[in-house]
Amino acid sequence: MLTQPTVLVVEDETELRQVVTESLEAAGFAVAQAPDAADARARLEGFAYDGLVLDLRLPDGDGMDLLDAALKRYPQIRCVVMTGSGGIAEAVTAVKRGAVDFLAKPFSLADLAQKLHKSIGRVRQTPAEAAYDDAARIERSKFERIIGNSPSMDRVFNTLGRVAAMNSTVLIQGETGTGKELIARTIHENSLRRDHPFVAFNAAAIPEGLIEAELFGYVKGAFTGAIAARTGRFEAAHKGTLFVDEVASMPLTLQAKLLRAFQEREIERLGDSKPFKFDVRLVAATNLDLRKRVKDGLFREDLFYRLNVVPISLPPLRARREDIAVLAQHFLQKSCRQNDIPLRVLSQATLRTLMECAWPGNIRQLENAIEHAVAMSGATDEISPEMLPDDVRHSESVGSLNPVTIPDEGIDFTSVVSQLERELILK
């Protein structure tokens, strides 16, 4: 882990950028460079810098927008803006928007280093109200409970926007902890069925002998112990949405009955011969590869195609590392609200630790890690790495030279290679 404070210098003039970099390195900083806003955004998505030295006039964008984006992602980053002699008013505006200071060109390099050392060593006092407002702006208005700005999540949002209002069957695939039920609920809440029930059924949590009774219901006396009639999940979800989680866990005999139910759009309670016509939208989910299950004879091919009308593949957290900081801030605010304690802040070192973790438990593990850190923080305002669980602090880094996990939708090869190159240089 880096012990030097880290700084990103964003300046389009090559000579000035190099001079500032060399000066800051001599002053004890670990420095990365970006010649434009696009490169700076990419670097900020991949690493939690302690400081940002920013020229407000960039060839491909407004430096003020980059400042806002950096502060939204990392509330504790210290930003010093550089401006020409005619841009003092603009620099003052930048300070009002969160920069710690500004320097008019030409400026003293020693003064810049001093300002950074001083500001990075001081905790920014961000009002709790502003932090909560930031979280609200981060979350998307239509799918406000789903957080993420990575390319892989953009594809998820795009699919949700197209299918939520329809009646099409959706199959959500993703590792444990990636938020499959949240996606299912979001589909329901943005559909025309939103005023009717959302019924969740976890096929892996019900003993095999009881799955049929739970799904279809039963009448009194249908079997030993059936002392009263019971409504099944299909009837309970009538006119709404039925979410079948871990559908790959269903035995083949039940798969056949599930397929028939959706083909005929009717069911019969156990012990009853009177059919019930249902109107239900089906959303299924699994953490297993259903195509492989079909190939291995463990899942019916005809049911697979019935479910796989609109597939949604949720990326693991390690494949969307640029979303970790935003998710961590969201869970921090959530935990503080639920425990009725003052809002804590995540140090840049803590964010770096979180962004380096491999997260085998995905978003669920991240949320639990933040809750653990809040519990360990006591009366301290800042969350430090030592407050995180041991399995997070000692996790294998996603930047190590291990095989890259490639999700179904693929990866951005250039982005992965560039990120690995940056991490090797920093190490």
Side-chain angles (χ1 to χ4, degrees), residues 261-377:
F262 267 91
Q263 286 176 335
E264 303 297 330
R265 290 285 164 177
E266 68 177 29
I267 59 167
E268 289 181 4
R269 290 182 176 183
L270 296 182
D272 194 1
S273 58
K274 182 180 179 182
F276 173 79
K277 289 283 185 180
F278 64 83
D279 174 16
V280 167
R281 181 183 191 173
L282 178 64
V283 178
T286 179
N287 63 351
L288 301 176
D289 185 342
L290 277 191
R291 291 185 184 277
K292 185 177 185 303
R293 300 275 292 181
V294 170
K295 185 178 179 180
D296 294 341
L298 300 173
F299 200 83
R300 293 181 62 103
E301 185 175 22
D302 45 7
L303 179 57
F304 169 73
Y305 288 116
R306 172 69 66 172
L307 298 177
N308 198 45
V309 178
V310 179
I312 295 179
S313 180
L314 296 184
L317 191 54
R318 61 183 174 276
R320 45 182 291 215
R321 197 171 67 158
E322 57 266 59
D323 289 335
I324 291 176
V326 179
L327 284 163
Q329 301 286 358
H330 169 76
F331 291 136
L332 177 68
Q333 293 155 14
K334 177 182 175 182
S335 181
C336 290
R337 282 197 301 267
Q338 289 178 341
N339 290 286
D340 195 24
I341 61 175
L343 184 65
R344 305 291 191 252
V345 294
L346 296 168
S347 72
Q348 294 300 91
T350 300
L351 284 169
R352 284 194 288 271
T353 301
L354 295 174
M355 293 171 74
E356 289 172 359
C357 180
W359 297 114
N362 293 296
I363 298 173
R364 187 178 299 138
Q365 183 188 6
L366 173 60
E367 181 173 11
N368 291 340
I370 295 299
E371 187 171 349
H372 174 96
V374 170
M376 294 296 102
S377 66

Side-chain angles (χ1 to χ4, degrees), residues 43 63 91 103 423:
R43 291 177 182 275
L103 292 168
E423 290 179 355

Side-chain angles (χ1 to χ4, degrees), residues 79-90:
C79 303
V80 176
V81 299
M82 301 179 290
T83 181
S85 58
I88 300 300
E90 193 176 32

